[in-house]
Amino acid sequence: MSRFDADDDDVVVVVGSGAGGGTLANELCQRGIRTVVLEAGPHLTGKDYHNDEWQAFSQMAWTDPRTTSGSWRLATDFPTLPAWIVKAVGGTTTHWAGATPRFKEHEFRIRSTYSDIDGASLLDWPITLTELEPYYDQAEVKMGSSHLHGRPPLPANNNYKVFANGAERVGYRRYATGPYATNAEPYDDRPATVQDGFNFQGDKGGSKWSTLVAELPKAEKTGKLDLRPDSHAVQILHDTRGRATAVLYTDSEGTLRRQRARVVCVAGNSIETPRLLLLSASALFPAGLGNSSGQVGRNYMRHTTATVWGQYDQPVRMYRGETMAGCIQDESRLDTSRGFAGGYYMQTIALGPAFFASFVAPGTWGPDFTSHMDAYRDTAGMWIVGEDMPQADNRVTLNDGVLDQHGLPVANVHFDDHPNDVAMREHAQRQGQAVYEAVGAKRTIVTPPYPSTHNLGTCRMSERPVDGVVDRHGRAHDVPNLFVSDGSQFTSGAAANPTLTIVALAIRQAEYIAGEYRRQGA
Amino acid sequence: MTLLTDHDTVTLVRLLKMAYPHEAFPDGPYERTAQAVLAAVAGAPRQLAQLIQGLHDLDELREVPFAELDDDTALTVLRGIHEAAFFKNVRGVAVVALYDDHEVWDLLGYEGPSFDKGGYVDRGFNDLDWLPEPKISIEEASA
Ligand SMILES: Cc1cc2nc3c(=O)[nH]c(=O)nc-3n(C[C@H](O)[C@H](O)[C@H](O)COP(=O)(O)OP(=O)(O)OC[C@H]3O[C@@H](n4cnc5c(N)ncnc54)[C@H](O)[C@@H]3O)c2cc1C
């Protein structure tokens, strides 16, 4: 691993090594740009991981304190755990499942398409699907998305068989085992999946795409990467002209260090990214770095989600095999006659008994609860993921009353469901139940949202600086050498799982930054 | 744990069996879960105090001690106190500890770690045979 000098002011500093940061770093290194990656978490690899839900969670998840407010049910069920995010090299791509649908054309233009929706802060993206398509192609090739670019589909597992047969019987036609970024056969120097079922934990085999196994090792080979684990960015510094100059971070010993930078890119996921900008307030930027619009932290989105389970009088064993290799697309269409704007996907999901017990019906106990558990082996599961409405007051702020281990105010995540979100969730729950009942479920169970795995929108892209935080390349409207490189950039959430789009945007951003280096003569 | 008596532990085990009743489960998982509860409160004086008081209160609610009540009555008693802080604390620990118990995994038909056994690729990831084989790709209508 290369090590660049702390006073070297020609490097790009990337905060976070997940989908956005890890991809961006590799793409910059491939273009010859020296890149320092600051990652708050440790450098764990496959052999460190546990095939065990709670052990893996305690080892990898971001459990630094956070707080919640608002009317969303998570504030009751999991008040200190608004999000399920990883704190380790590779970020949440080490826990992600691998579903990689693209945004649809109209999902970049929700203001124009859905017109005004009361209480929602709808805005069109400053970019179009056509502009992003070449980068989607590159992202899918990079990630080895199944069904596409010559990659074969994954086979049907048990959970999928129930899901797909139910889909067929209720009249759905657009269902498949992907696109899904896990190898059905060896690809990109990584093996085929052994169907071990531990997708949400940390993949011991490396058949699943993550920045840990795919992007960062490639970046390292260029000699241009300086990856610093256990390095928590606490502030971004700037000069009198308002250009970012350096990042302050704590190392594994808790010592504060400074890395100078020519460009700073923030990719800490949509809760930590706005937190870092807010923590970087100064005399010149009193409301937080890059926050003259007041939009930093606002428009937080988390997708409209739910889980539906079907229980049968025959075994399913949903936990065997790839967790999310199953997707029904039919309800992702543009069709406001259903009583809500936006669409949703249905995807297979499986949990072990340990997580199933905690999430199936939070807070409940007694014979009803245990009868759910007794049917564990005979249970099939699906997850709902749909577009939620951006709202100005759904928002990440600093909670000065609660400090983390570094003495920094923690993030508070405030969220109220929009009536559109509620209508979509209820529709999706009914459709999910219908799918399972169509193949003979003797009982269906509807489960409320888990801690958010998709966190989006808190530094959104906008054409005009007053409407958002960053421009069409993810560059801060207020600070010319500051970029946001993760899902915080999303102007809207679409129905699709976000990671493919985060990766596509990161490739595009790297190209842009490299162009700037060339223009300025690096 | 000197502040809690053996009788308290018996009450706690009985409470766990009533809150999470599974006909197929032997005592072992419940006893281990009780130990997990005790370990969790050991470092939390307020929670330990609430547990001591709460278990004591349970014995006072009917003519006979809680551990001697029949199942229906015991369940009714628990429903009556389901908002009590001590009971919430116990459930918070128990729902994790009980279903993380490997004997329980076995009883529920879950097979646990699998990577070291080669995953399920040759061990039944697709052995469900009570439904037809579904298609795995979308056939695009020819454009
Ligand atoms: C169980 C699960 C399943 C999922 N399945 C899917 C799926 O099937 N499809 C899909 O598209 N998405 C899925 N996701 C979501 C996906 O993981 C995220 O969208 C994606 O990883 C987000 O990328 P990111 O770069 O924004 O953040 P992350 O990948 O979370 O990376 C952020 C990194 O920044 C680090 N960091 C934060 N703050 C600082 C700081 N101040 N200093 C230094 N480092 C910092 C963090 O430690 C972390 O490593 C899933 C997520 C989970 C939890």
Side-chain angles (χ1 to χ4, degrees):
Chain A
M1 184 73 66
S2 309
R3 187 80 200 191
F4 305 134
D5 194 88
D7 286 326
D8 190 336
D9 59 4
D10 202 40
V11 300
V12 174
V13 172
V14 177
V15 176
S17 65
T23 304
L24 178 72
N26 182 28
E27 293 289 324
L28 289 171
C29 290
Q30 299 299 333
R31 291 171 172 81
I33 295 172
R34 291 184 302 150
T35 306
V36 174
V37 175
L38 301 176
E39 168 51 58
H43 197 159
L44 305 166
T45 61
K47 64 179 179 346
D48 303 315
Y49 294 153
H50 302 294
N51 263 196
D52 180 300
E53 292 178 308
W54 283 118
Q55 277 182 35
F57 187 86
S58 344
Q59 181 188 40
M60 301 172 72
W62 184 287
T63 50
D64 296 6
R66 285 174 175 146
T67 59
T68 48
S69 56
S71 59
W72 58 337
R73 187 160 158 186
L74 269 179
T76 311
D77 288 346
F78 303 98
T80 59
L81 192 73
W84 177 359
I85 297 177
V86 171
K87 182 180 180 181
V89 172
T92 315
T93 65
T94 59
H95 271 195
W96 86 312
T100 57
R102 291 185 180 195
F103 276 39
K104 297 179 198 298
E105 196 270 335
H106 73 270
E107 289 174 325
F108 289 94
R109 300 182 297 105
I110 59 166
R111 170 99 201 174
S112 314
T113 310
Y114 307 152
S115 60
D116 255 347
I117 295 180
D118 237 13
S121 49
L122 305 183
L123 188 68
D124 290 350
W125 288 62
I127 58 173
T128 62
L129 175 62
T130 315
E131 278 175 274
L132 205 56
E133 262 165 355
Y135 302 96
Y136 269 144
D137 285 337
Q138 290 180 51
E140 286 158 354
V141 169
K142 179 192 272 302
M143 300 165 85
S145 291
S146 69
H147 296 77
L148 298 166
H149 313 288
R151 309 271 34 91
L154 282 146
N157 61 28
N158 292 339
N159 202 22
Y160 179 79
K161 288 185 189 181
V162 180
F163 177 80
N165 276 290
E168 182 68 28
R169 287 192 203 171
V170 301
Y172 290 146
R173 291 296 171 263
R174 302 185 60 79
Y175 58 87
T177 56
Y180 192 77
T182 286
N183 292 345
E185 62 182 32
Y187 175 68
D188 200 27
D189 291 332
R190 292 180 289 109
T193 175
V194 295
Q195 304 281 356
D196 60 296
F198 288 90
N199 295 91
F200 288 181
Q201 280 67 39
D203 175 19
K204 292 179 81 66
S207 60
K208 168 175 90 175
W209 178 87
S210 68
T211 54
L212 177 80
V213 297
E215 303 304 308
L216 295 166
K218 287 180 189 161
E220 192 178 340
K221 285 202 187 107
T222 65
K224 303 287 181 187
L225 176 71
D226 178 346
L227 170 65
R228 300 183 196 164
D230 306 300
S231 299
H232 189 123
V234 302
Q235 199 156 333
I236 301 168
L237 301 177
H238 62 79
D239 62 17
T240 49
R241 295 178 303 154
R243 292 182 64 90
T245 53
V247 179
L248 294 176
Y249 66 98
T250 59
D251 68 12
S252 56
E253 313 291 304
T255 307
L256 193 67
R257 299 193 176 273
R258 181 186 61 205
Q259 175 61 52
R260 291 191 199 273
R262 177 151 161 197
V263 170
V264 174
C265 301
V266 187
N269 206 322
S270 274
I271 297 176
E272 293 308 313
T273 290
R275 179 178 178 225
L276 180 58
L277 298 187
L278 295 173
L279 287 170
S280 301
S282 66
L284 194 58
F285 296 104
L289 191 60
N291 193 22
S292 68
S293 62
Q295 293 289 318
V296 170
R298 291 190 184 272
N299 311 303
Y300 170 72
M301 294 171 286
R302 43 111 40 231
H303 274 139
T304 293
T305 68
T307 308
V308 181
W309 310 97
Q311 300 193 317
Y312 296 86
D313 50 19
Q314 311 205 55
V316 177
R317 300 193 184 274
M318 61 173 168
Y319 59 86
R320 292 182 179 173
E322 288 294 327
T323 307
M324 274 199 165
C327 183
I328 300 172
Q329 300 181 2
D330 295 71
E331 298 287 358
S332 69
R333 67 187 188 274
L334 174 61
D335 170 11
T336 44
S337 74
R338 289 171 295 180
F340 51 86
Y344 61 86
Y345 292 94
M346 303 157 124
Q347 297 169 341
T348 54
I349 193 170
L351 300 177
F355 270 24
F356 188 72
S358 286
F359 294 122
V360 68
T364 65
W365 56 279
D368 284 347
F369 170 79
T370 51
S371 68
H372 298 154
M373 297 303 303
D374 280 330
Y376 173 76
R377 190 197 58 182
D378 309 336
T379 305
M382 77 166 78
W383 195 57
I384 311 277
V385 53
E387 175 162 24
D388 60 339
M389 293 295 109
Q391 298 181 74
D393 291 334
N394 283 351
R395 173 173 195 201
V396 173
T397 53
L398 298 179
N399 182 345
D400 292 309
V402 183
L403 305 181
D404 72 5
Q405 64 273 34
H406 308 297
L408 307 169
V410 306
N412 182 69
V413 185
H414 179 94
F415 193 92
D416 296 316
D417 285 314
H418 189 278
N420 195 79
D421 305 345
V422 177
M424 179 189 289
R425 179 177 295 124
E426 286 170 356
H427 187 273
Q429 288 168 339
R430 279 195 305 276
Q431 292 305 114
Q433 289 174 300
V435 164
Y436 283 144
E437 280 158 6
V439 279
K442 55 175 194 190
R443 172 159 71 175
T444 58
I445 307 164
V446 163
T447 289
Y450 311 131
S452 313
T453 55
H454 301 171
N455 299 275
L456 306 166
T458 51
C459 296
R460 71 180 180 182
M461 264 193 196
S462 64
E463 194 65 58
R464 303 186 314 159
V466 290
D467 294 327
V469 179
V470 299
D471 71 8
R472 59 195 345 271
H473 292 288
R475 178 214 292 260
H477 288 301
D478 296 348
V479 184
N481 64 339
L482 175 68
F483 289 79
V484 171
S485 317
D486 59 17
S488 318
Q489 299 174 82
F490 284 25
T491 312
S492 65
N497 316 56
T499 307
L500 178 75
T501 304
I502 294 174
V503 170
L505 289 171
I507 300 170
R508 180 169 172 273
Q509 187 177 78
E511 199 177 275
Y512 179 75
I513 293 173
E516 294 278 281
Y517 262 66
R518 269 198 306 280
R519 271 191 289 286
Q520 294 162 13
Chain B
M1 186 71 56
T2 49
L3 294 177
L4 284 164
T5 63
D6 288 349
H7 173 74
D8 291 328
T9 308
V10 171
T11 308
L12 178 58
V13 170
R14 175 75 178 148
L15 175 154
L16 291 168
K17 285 188 189 170
M18 289 297 97
Y20 301 99
H22 290 279
E23 269 175 32
F25 289 13
D27 289 349
Y30 293 108
E31 286 163 4
R32 289 189 287 275
T33 300
Q35 291 309 316
V37 170
L38 297 179
V41 297
R46 172 71 176 150
Q47 292 191 12
L48 175 55
Q50 287 170 329
L51 182 64
I52 293 169
Q53 185 66 50
L55 292 175
H56 185 253
D57 288 349
L58 274 181
D59 276 345
E60 305 297 311
L61 291 171
R62 292 290 188 278
E63 301 298 302
V64 295
F66 180 77
E68 289 164 33
L69 297 174
D70 64 79
D71 289 4
D72 286 348
T73 315
L75 192 60
T76 308
V77 166
L78 287 185
R79 290 209 167 107
I81 59 138
H82 86 276
E83 289 291 349
F86 97 93
F87 189 31
K88 280 191 184 167
N89 292 338
V90 168
R91 295 196 316 258
V93 178
V95 76
V96 172
L98 181 61
Y99 299 104
D100 210 16
D101 186 287
H102 291 206
E103 189 179 352
V104 164
W105 289 358
D106 242 16
L107 290 159
L108 295 178
Y110 176 66
E111 295 158 279
S114 76
F115 183 78
D116 292 343
K117 299 174 187 153
Y120 293 106
V121 68
D122 299 319
R123 296 191 308 130
F125 82 99
N126 59 354
D127 64 358
L128 186 147
D129 58 5
W130 48 271
L131 285 168
E133 279 303 313
K135 66 182 172 84
I136 57 174
S137 296
I138 297 167
E139 293 121 37
E140 292 297 346
S142 51

